[in-house]
Amino acid sequence: MTIQMLQCFEPGDHLWKMGGRFRGKLYDHHLIYKQRCADGHLIIENSFRARGVVEKCLSDNQLSVYQLYERPADSAACLAKAEAALVEKRGYSLLWYNCETFANDCTRGNGGSMQVRRATGHVALLSTAASSAVTSATVGLVTSTHKTVHVSDQGCFGLWKWLGYTHPVVKTVVVHHPAGIAAAAGAACGCCVWTVFAAFGRDAKKSRSR
C-alpha cells in the first residue's frame, strides 16, 4: 500500500486487517485511526495482549496492512468515545468487548461483533450436525425385528398344504431404523446449512483482496 493510500485514512476511521496467525483465517483485528504523528500514525485499539484499550503508534509499513472498514458519520464523536474508553481503561473481553466490539461502539454506538456471531453460529451448527451424526452411528440406519409369518404345511404328501393348513414361524427381518434415519437426515441437513452459512455469512464490508 502506498503513502498516497495511507493518507486516505481520516481521524475516526474504523480500520481492519486479517489476523497474523493461521494466515489470517482465524480472526480479524479492528481499530480506530486517530491521526498522523512524527513517528507514523496514532491509533486506538482494544488489545488482547494489553488486556484493554490502548493507544499505539504504527509505522507506515505497519498501517499498510489495514483497510477501511467504516467511516463514521461523526468522526469527532467517534474519536471522543475511543479516547474516553482509553481514559477509563476499559478491559478486554473476547465475547463482550473485543477489538471489533470496541471499534463498532466508537463508530456507530452499536458494539456488536460479526466475528463472535459467526463463531457462535459455526459452533451451534457444528454441534447440531455432530450430535445427529453420533446418534445415527450409535443406533444405526437398520435394525432387526421378529415377525411371525404363516407357512403352508408340507405333511402327508402335501395334503395339508392342499387343504390350506398353515403353521406360524417366527423370522428375523432387517428393517430401517426410524431414529437412525432421522438422525442421519438431520446430520446431512445440518452440514448443508453449515456450508451455506460459511459461504454466504461473511461480512460484506470486508474485502479480502489486496
Side-chain angles (χ1 to χ4, degrees):
M1 186 177 291
T2 63
I3 299 299
Q4 182 179 1
M5 292 187 67
L6 288 174
Q7 291 175 346
C8 292
F9 295 146
E10 299 178 0
D13 279 352
H14 177 174
L15 309 183
W16 79 283
K17 71 168 184 175
M18 290 185 289
R21 295 178 177 83
F22 303 101
R23 296 183 179 180
K25 301 297 184 181
L26 188 59
Y27 69 94
D28 297 323
H29 186 58
H30 297 250
L31 56 80
I32 299 298
Y33 181 82
K34 186 175 181 179
Q35 64 187 35
R36 177 178 285 277
C37 62
D39 297 325
H41 306 265
L42 291 178
I43 59 95
I44 301 177
E45 66 180 4
N46 195 8
S47 170
F48 172 78
R49 293 181 179 179
R51 308 307 300 170
V53 180
V54 295
E55 182 176 288
K56 292 181 180 179
C57 179
L58 303 182
S59 66
D60 286 347
N61 185 54
Q62 289 174 315
L63 193 67
S64 66
V65 297
Y66 284 90
Q67 293 178 303
L68 179 66
Y69 181 81
E70 185 175 0
R71 181 157 288 162
D74 189 340
S75 300
C78 176
L79 273 179
K81 198 162 189 175
E83 291 175 337
L86 181 64
V87 173
E88 294 169 6
K89 300 184 184 300
R90 294 197 61 176
Y92 183 95
S93 171
L94 181 62
L95 294 179
W96 311 116
Y97 197 64
N98 56 36
C99 62
E100 184 181 9
T101 308
F102 161 74
N104 283 333
D105 187 40
C106 294
T107 305
R108 57 177 182 268
N110 181 11
S113 173
M114 176 68 76
Q115 294 184 87
V116 171
R117 290 195 294 270
R118 280 182 54 79
T120 53
H122 279 297
V123 171
L125 291 172
L126 175 60
S127 300
T128 301
S131 61
S132 297
V134 170
T135 301
S136 177
T138 302
V139 303
L141 298 179
V142 296
T143 185
S144 60
T145 184
H146 299 294
K147 185 177 181 180
T148 302
V149 296
H150 292 270
V151 297
S152 300
D153 287 328
Q154 300 294 328
C156 295
F157 306 102
L159 177 61
W160 301 134
K161 178 180 179 181
W162 183 75
L163 293 174
Y165 285 99
T166 62
H167 66 276
V169 176
V170 177
K171 291 188 175 182
T172 301
V173 295
V174 177
V175 296
H176 294 297
H177 198 303
I181 296 296
C189 182
C191 289
C192 291
V193 173
W194 187 21
T195 301
V196 173
F197 177 79
F200 298 101
R202 298 174 181 175
D203 193 336
K205 293 183 180 180
K206 295 178 180 177
S207 172
R208 293 288 180 174
S209 60
R210 293 299 180 191

